[in-house]
Amino acid sequence: MDLKSYYDTVRHHILLSKLAKRIRDDDMLWLCKSILKAAGKRGLPQGSVIGPLWANLYLNDVDKMLERAQQVTRHGRYEVVCYTRFADDLVVLVSSHFQSGHWAAKVERRLREELAKLDLSVNEEKTRIVAFDRGEPFDFLGYTFRWVDHREHPGKKMVLCQPQKKKQVQFLRDLKATLRRRLHVPVELVVREVVEALKHVRWRVDLLVRRFASRQRPTKRKGGRGWSTWSVAEVYGSWGLYTGYGVSWRSARHGQVS
């Protein structure tokens, strides 16, 4: 679930009423109100230090409702409902067991009720129900999650987490543009925080760096080299191109993904 223009639609009077439940200082409340009003009639101040804190506070009742749903539906160590929220992005996971499936509709209805109390609108284009246990993926915070067969244990399932394809494409475009602007800079490049699953990205990064080095020393000039002649020792050794890729896997029993 995603909220439509969340930071721009927060109601000031609702937020101030929530703050007043914990703050007993009139001067502090006046300061909070002044900061809010500076952003306009609705919404949170963009780029401020206090904005993210208020954004979470505003959705506190939504968290409490979902936490109660987790507690009510729990059977021992088995969770029927669990959720993760980051700012206005929210994922609710409901067990696919035939006795628990009805909770999906109930949780969605209660979620919409709580959001209506806050005068918030759901972004219907980015909100959907996914049959995760049947292989349908979902995106969250720039990553794509899938329920797949375990690589090493046949018959078991696991959660596969990979960066979204559009993030990969954008990364390659940004890298290519950056290298074009830095032909005058020595070839010392380290690409960090890229997972092993992006083998295509690794190959493209390697290719772009090799071509970058060749453009610095064109083959038409004396001593020039083609992009394929650079050795692995040069690219990953002396230049220090990042090679320690790692993949994010998480084993889980069917119906107990969080």
Side-chain angles (χ1 to χ4, degrees), residues 233-246:
E234 289 175 298
V235 177
Y236 293 97
S238 61
W239 298 354
L241 184 66
Y242 183 73
T243 186
Y245 296 77

Side-chain angles (χ1 to χ4, degrees), residues 19-229:
L19 290 171
K21 292 179 180 179
R22 296 296 298 272
I23 299 174
R24 301 297 182 185
D25 188 294
D26 291 339
D27 291 335
M28 181 61 70
L29 289 173
W30 174 86
L31 178 60
C32 292
K33 183 178 180 180
S34 299
I35 295 174
L36 280 173
K37 295 303 180 183
K41 295 182 179 180
R42 294 186 69 165
L44 296 172
Q46 297 293 325
S48 68
V49 176
I50 198 66
L53 176 62
W54 282 346
N56 274 322
L57 173 63
Y58 197 75
L59 295 173
N60 197 43
D61 289 338
V62 174
D63 289 336
K64 288 182 178 180
M65 183 274 291
L66 290 170
E67 288 169 359
R68 286 194 297 270
Q70 284 186 257
Q71 296 172 359
V72 170
T73 60
R74 184 188 296 272
H75 295 286
R77 297 176 60 185
Y78 180 71
E79 288 185 330
V80 174
V81 176
C82 58
Y83 85 103
T84 299
R85 180 178 70 81
F86 184 86
D88 58 332
D89 290 322
L90 175 70
V91 171
V92 180
L93 299 168
V94 181
S95 171
S96 59
H97 191 277
F98 73 96
Q99 293 183 338
S100 306
H102 65 280
W103 280 104
K106 291 181 178 179
V107 170
E108 182 182 4
R109 176 177 55 81
R110 286 289 294 116
L111 256 176
R112 291 180 180 273
E113 290 175 356
E114 289 296 327
L115 293 172
K117 294 178 184 178
L118 300 172
D119 197 17
L120 296 174
S121 300
V122 175
N123 187 336
E124 302 295 348
E125 294 181 359
K126 295 183 179 180
T127 299
R128 62 195 179 103
I129 296 178
V130 175
F132 191 62
D133 62 324
R134 288 181 235 151
E136 292 185 25
F138 69 88
D139 296 330
F140 186 57
L141 302 181
Y143 286 83
T144 298
F145 295 85
R146 288 183 176 86
W147 183 250
V148 300
D149 293 327
H150 201 290
R151 282 181 170 181
E152 301 177 357
H153 303 285
K156 292 186 177 182
K157 292 287 187 177
M158 64 188 301
V159 178
L160 174 63
C161 171
Q162 294 177 307
Q164 291 174 250
K165 286 186 177 180
K166 65 179 182 180
K167 300 293 184 180
Q168 300 178 32
V169 173
Q170 186 60 48
F171 170 76
L172 291 173
R173 287 176 179 171
D174 293 344
L175 177 62
K176 191 172 183 179
T178 299
L179 292 178
R180 281 178 176 174
R181 294 193 301 268
R182 286 170 170 75
L183 281 174
H184 62 286
V185 178
V187 187
E188 294 177 357
L189 178 65
V190 178
V191 182
R192 297 185 180 93
E193 297 179 3
V194 181
V195 296
E196 182 188 17
L198 301 180
K199 291 183 179 179
H200 173 67
V201 170
R202 177 179 178 177
W203 172 76
R204 290 287 297 175
V205 169
D206 184 301
L207 180 62
L208 288 170
V209 171
R210 288 172 182 272
R211 286 179 174 173
F212 167 73
S214 296
R215 289 192 183 99
Q216 287 188 324
R217 305 168 190 175
T219 55
K220 292 182 180 179
R221 297 180 184 177
K222 187 177 180 180
R225 298 174 58 176
W227 68 268
S228 61
T229 62

